[in-house]
Amino acid sequence: MSNHPIPIDDIRAQSRKLVRALGFMGGSFAGTDLPPSSVHALIDIEAEPGITAATLSETLALDKSSVSRLLHKLEHSGDVHAWSDADDARIKRLGLTQQGSARLSAIHDFARCQVAAALDRLQPQQHRTVLDGLALYANALMPEADQRATPIEIVTGYHPGLIAGITGMHIAYYADTAGFGRSFEAVVASGLADFCSRLDHAENEVWTVMRGGRILGSLAIDGQDLAPGVAHLRWFILDASLRGLGFGRRLMAQALAFVDASPFERTDLWTFEGLHAARHLYEAHGFVLAEQYAGDQWGRDVQEQRFTRWAGASGSSERA
């Protein structure tokens, strides 16, 4: 082991020089009047046309409200345009306008000239040293990049944190989209706790979409809380960053394969009016609207809906 002290303060000093030289402290950044976060947003939107705001938030390591504000400004300035996802109108896809592409092209030209001018002051054999050092240091500063690269998988069965994770996803989504609060959270949490105590029964199963230990989606089949021979499809939810990528269809396919391999006569699910993308997915897998009625069990009045899929009704999942 080396006895040389770690040059922490020297590295910090060089980092400050780098930040100031690149214009992060104010004034013109990358030859534009845009703040650094907006410049980085344009670069990432160009790199991944159709990226969602949620994915952009994760990539930029900014909270969703900050990304929402900067996107609003970029749309207002005419640099970015947004459109609704073909499968889920709640999801907005992002792309550069012609003006935005032209602005970003100028940013790239400015930055390349800036880098080239700096490298001209070095010996050619030092160029690779600069690149390797920057890459090594940047990767060490951003271990979360490894987490973003962690594969996404669908896990069957109970695992620690399942009740809290699924409940948290539901309350976060439905509090925002439907105004549900304490009553809804209590029903979800208590229902999940009861269900998990019965997971060793052959008629019950749960699937969760996982990445790096975090739950990003869920769906369960409860074969015991309704009438004999009736499966209950419950707790279907998917993180916004995964919508439109096929994980909802994959969850549904696994759950219905489980149902079809069991002696259930039909499968019921309850939802409420207005969730159009979810309804499209249900109907594509053979569910039909069986009844609709006013209800207030979630803390406010909604039009509750029951969808039913009879045994052998495969629907049109290949088109989903």
Side-chain angles (χ1 to χ4, degrees), residues 220-293:
I221 294 294
D222 189 338
Q224 292 182 289
D225 70 326
L226 299 178
V230 180
H232 186 182
L233 191 150
R234 311 180 75 178
W235 303 299
F236 179 41
I237 195 166
L238 200 63
D239 188 82
S241 65
L242 299 186
R243 292 178 191 144
L245 300 180
F247 285 97
R249 295 189 292 273
R250 288 175 59 186
L251 281 173
M252 190 69 69
Q254 291 198 26
L256 295 180
F258 174 82
V259 167
D260 291 340
S262 305
F264 292 115
E265 297 177 4
R266 74 171 198 263
T267 304
D268 285 353
L269 68 86
W270 275 261
T271 182
F272 58 91
E273 188 179 28
L275 302 180
H276 303 298
R279 176 170 181 167
H280 171 75
L281 185 63
Y282 300 147
E283 291 177 335
H285 285 82
F287 285 89
V288 296
L289 180 62
E291 61 177 324
Q292 179 169 305
Y293 51 89

Side-chain angles (χ1 to χ4, degrees), residues 42 80 101 190 210 224 269:
L42 292 176
V80 169
S101 294
S190 60
M210 304 290 297
Q224 292 182 289
L269 68 86

Side-chain angles (χ1 to χ4, degrees), residues 34-204:
L34 294 174
S37 58
S38 294
V39 172
H40 282 249
L42 292 176
I43 292 171
D44 287 322
I45 293 171
E46 178 191 49
E48 188 179 342
I51 190 173
T52 66
T55 301
L56 186 63
S57 175
E58 184 178 358
T59 302
L60 295 176
L62 293 173
D63 61 84
K64 293 181 180 179
S65 60
S66 296
V67 170
S68 178
R69 288 193 295 271
L70 77 84
L71 287 175
H72 177 75
K73 292 179 181 178
L74 289 173
E75 288 186 64
H76 183 72
S77 66
D79 294 307
V80 169
H81 68 103
W83 66 91
S84 297
D85 182 84
D87 294 325
D88 189 340
R90 295 169 296 180
I91 301 173
K92 299 299 181 183
R93 301 285 177 180
L94 304 168
L96 297 183
T97 63
Q98 184 174 3
Q99 173 184 307
S101 294
R103 185 196 285 262
L104 186 55
S105 179
I107 289 172
H108 286 318
D109 289 343
F110 177 91
R112 291 188 182 106
C113 289
Q114 190 178 34
V115 172
L119 292 179
D120 280 345
R121 302 185 186 103
L122 303 174
Q123 296 299 317
Q125 62 268 27
Q126 294 176 310
H127 295 176
R128 175 56 60 176
T129 301
V130 172
L131 175 60
D132 292 343
L134 284 172
L136 188 66
Y137 188 39
N139 290 335
L141 284 172
M142 298 181 63
E144 66 270 18
D146 293 334
Q147 183 176 353
R148 287 198 294 268
T150 301
I152 302 172
E153 58 181 341
I154 295 179
V155 177
T156 303
Y158 174 81
H159 51 85
L162 182 144
I163 296 173
I166 295 177
T167 300
M169 286 193 69
H170 277 74
I171 189 60
Y173 177 75
Y174 287 103
D176 180 53
T177 61
F180 293 169
R182 180 176 59 186
S183 299
F184 175 74
E185 184 171 0
V187 170
V188 173
S190 60
L192 272 167
D194 173 70
F195 171 73
C196 286
S197 71
R198 300 183 278 106
L199 259 178
D200 55 351
H201 195 281
E203 292 182 325
N204 303 326

